[in-house]
Amino acid sequence: MRLSPSAFFARLGFSALAALIGAFFALPLIWFLFAPFNARAELGLALPNPFTLANFAQVIQNGFAMRGLLNSLIQAVGGVVLVGIAATLAAYALSRSSLPGKGAVTYVLLLFSSVVSGSAAMVPIFLIISAVGLIDTHLAVILVFAGGLLPTAMFILRDFIDSIPRSYEESAMVAGASPVQAFFDVALPVIRPGIVVVVVWAFVNVWGSFLIPFILLRSDELMPASVAIYSFYSEAGTPIVTLLAAYALLYSLPVVALYLFVSWKFGFRFFGGIKA
Amino acid sequence: MASVEFQKVTKSFGTFNAVTDLDLAIGDGEFVCLLGPSGCGKTTSLRMIAGLETPTSGKVLIGGDDVTYLHPKDRQISMVFQDYALYPHMNLSDNIAYPLKVRGEPAGKRAARAKEVADVLKIGDLLDRLPSQISGGQQQRTSLARALVYPSRVYLFDEPLSNLDAKLRLEARSFLNHLQRDMGMTAVYVTHDQAEAMALATRIAVMNKGQIVQYAPPIEIYRRPATTFVANFVGNPPMNLVPVDAQIAEGVLQLRAQGLSVPGLPVTPGIAAAIGRAGRLTLGVRPEHLRIAADAAGPRLSGKLFANENMGPEKLVTVERPDAGRVTARIFTDDEIRLAEDVAFTFALEHLTLFDAEGLRIPLEGEA
């Protein structure tokens, strides 16, 4: 197909503009990939020269920071397991049961959840956790995250389950399955793509959160990476860019790995079997 | 196999009555079709047999046992769903054998039985596939295989053929008919397709607005539709219905409508009861009982040619009568038929059906 000159220049202009905008947004990412390997990294973008792994070597020797990554993992996995199980069961019940007012329940929960995990509720949360005696434990962080993320997770999952025909479970029950069997044999595998989405979302939320662990935890041994990253600031509060960049890259790897694993193993997709 | 019975069953959703005061007895080994337009309560009735809906009042019996509040899993029934409801994560073998799995059969026995049923349904070489990897017709047969894999007391079908294309639907219909002859199963089959109901049922329950309008063998439904609703629902195309003015004079019944000319008919007690001396009736005549009038003799029904559709062995000729009602005739001929703008049909008087002002069929002389 031949383009007329005006259309050609219009497309050329559009492409140039798009490239410019793309480059603008890509710059921080490129810095993020280059700086960790640069012995003299600064805030400006530069090719690693000389290319080095010394930054990583130094970061790995920082026990507090490494311990932080492990703590992040404990808290994120704990939160995800709790949110995943509770949200699946609750969303399934909300979707399939004929409870009156179940819609209102979901919306009220959703409304409050944005308050619960928000900084506005930090004082009451601290007081509650302190009263329960869980200050400075992984469990405190996990529970607070679960409480904050559950309503939204339930909301997402309920919508997902609503879109799945009931005839799956109905056919299982007519075939002789109890409701529990029908749930585990048929409903759960069909809902799985929705659960995967919620799990990834919850993991990323806990993994990246700073305020809640910072407030609820006391001891260095329990601090997650989001807090530990501050050990790469000097006494005066200026970042040690080389180490910070290396640690940031390490810190982001588990999330990337999770995405890759999920899309390889489960895929963010849905499979058929119902004839519409 | 077992009988099924509804006793005064009502099911309401909020203020809407999906099924009202339903009484229906389905004998052991019968194949009953619930036939009606969407929203008539036929699927709700089926789901109450399955236990997927609970009646608001009344009782449902299977094999004489009250199962009104029994969980579906304890009813020993099978059901084929309109959307097939195949489990997308299981291969065909596991799908078909699922009812055996929940009954605790060992895996080897399950697979063997699934293979056996699948072979009968000609999907035996697809057992390793997932439901998404087979065609619609194969999915339909898989869901049928899952229903047949274990002995059930009642087989339920919820519009199982409505998602198939026309040719496959005919094939599947014949197969179901064959299966019924072979197994003598008790089956309840929901459909809105009168041809399916006619082809499969030993008895048809025609439903409208949550109630049964007529419950009779197909040929009875076809020959003696109880109401204009049934007449208009059964038959392809359905019965022609012409509103007429009726008058009894000198011992004969005179019917008048524009484009209609019928000689005086004998007055039966039924007719006398329906109109007294004069009133409105509806005259019904099946398209296949109309012929194109060759001469001026005999009863006739005429109008302006509206459509002339060639269906192969038959032609569908539709005329528009002066009062805008349409009448269709099925003319069985291989030849092209040439028609003038004005067309007159004729018919034998014995093929007339009369309905009273409420739309109820007026019984003939000698009928109860």
Side-chain angles (χ1 to χ4, degrees), chain B residues 30-41:
Chain B
E30 261 198 289
F31 197 117
V32 169
C33 283
L34 305 180
L35 175 67
S38 57
C40 74

Side-chain angles (χ1 to χ4, degrees), chain B residues 294-366:
Chain B
D295 49 46
R300 54 186 47 229
L301 196 50
S302 54
K304 299 247 180 264
L305 182 62
F306 179 77
N308 180 1
E309 299 159 85
N310 191 342
M311 312 293 288
E314 79 220 62
K315 315 284 181 278
L316 292 183
V317 178
T318 306
V319 302
E320 196 152 54
R321 293 181 21 263
D323 61 3
R326 282 182 198 151
V327 173
T328 299
R330 283 176 83 180
I331 311 291
F332 293 87
T333 170
D334 288 342
D335 304 326
E336 282 300 321
I337 38 178
R338 301 198 165 278
L339 295 166
E341 203 187 338
D342 292 295
V343 178
F345 297 129
T346 186
F347 48 91
L349 287 176
E350 76 223 44
H351 288 135
L352 280 191
T353 308
L354 288 174
F355 301 92
D356 68 15
E358 270 84 57
L360 300 177
R361 179 172 169 275
I362 299 171
L364 300 174
E365 191 97 64

Side-chain angles (χ1 to χ4, degrees), chain A residues 167-168 170-171 175 185 272 275, chain B residues 47 83 87-89 98 103:
Chain A
S167 49
Y168 281 127
E170 287 177 349
S171 78
D185 287 351
K275 178 85 178 177
Chain B
R47 290 170 60 85
D83 58 19
Y87 315 131
H89 56 289
Y98 185 72
R103 283 171 174 72

Side-chain angles (χ1 to χ4, degrees), chain A residues 275, chain B residues 84 134-141 163-164 168:
Chain A
K275 178 85 178 177
Chain B
Y84 311 148
I134 58 175
S135 73
Q138 290 162 343
Q139 291 180 350
Q140 199 277 332
R141 275 177 278 160
N163 283 325
L164 296 179
L168 278 176

Side-chain angles (χ1 to χ4, degrees), chain A residues 165-179 181-182 184-187 189-190 270-276, chain B residues 47 50 52 71-73 77-79 81 83-90 98-99 101-103 131-132 136 139 146 150 163:
Chain A
R166 284 169 188 240
S167 49
Y168 281 127
E169 296 111 287
E170 287 177 349
S171 78
M173 288 195 284
V174 167
S178 67
Q181 273 176 315
F184 282 105
D185 287 351
V186 176
V190 176
F270 182 57
F271 31 35
I274 287 280
K275 178 85 178 177
Chain B
R47 290 170 60 85
L52 298 171
H71 192 273
K73 75 182 163 70
I77 49 173
S78 338
M79 182 161 169
F81 287 76
D83 58 19
Y84 311 148
L86 299 176
Y87 315 131
H89 56 289
M90 297 184 195
Y98 185 72
K101 186 185 166 205
V102 294
R103 283 171 174 72
S132 55
Q139 291 180 350
R146 186 172 61 189
Y150 63 102
N163 283 325

Side-chain angles (χ1 to χ4, degrees), chain A residues 31-32 35-37 41 55-56 240-250:
Chain A
W31 181 89
F32 181 74
F37 303 100
N55 296 340
F56 289 99
I240 306 159
V241 174
T242 46
L243 303 184
L244 194 62
Y247 189 63
L249 189 61
L250 290 180

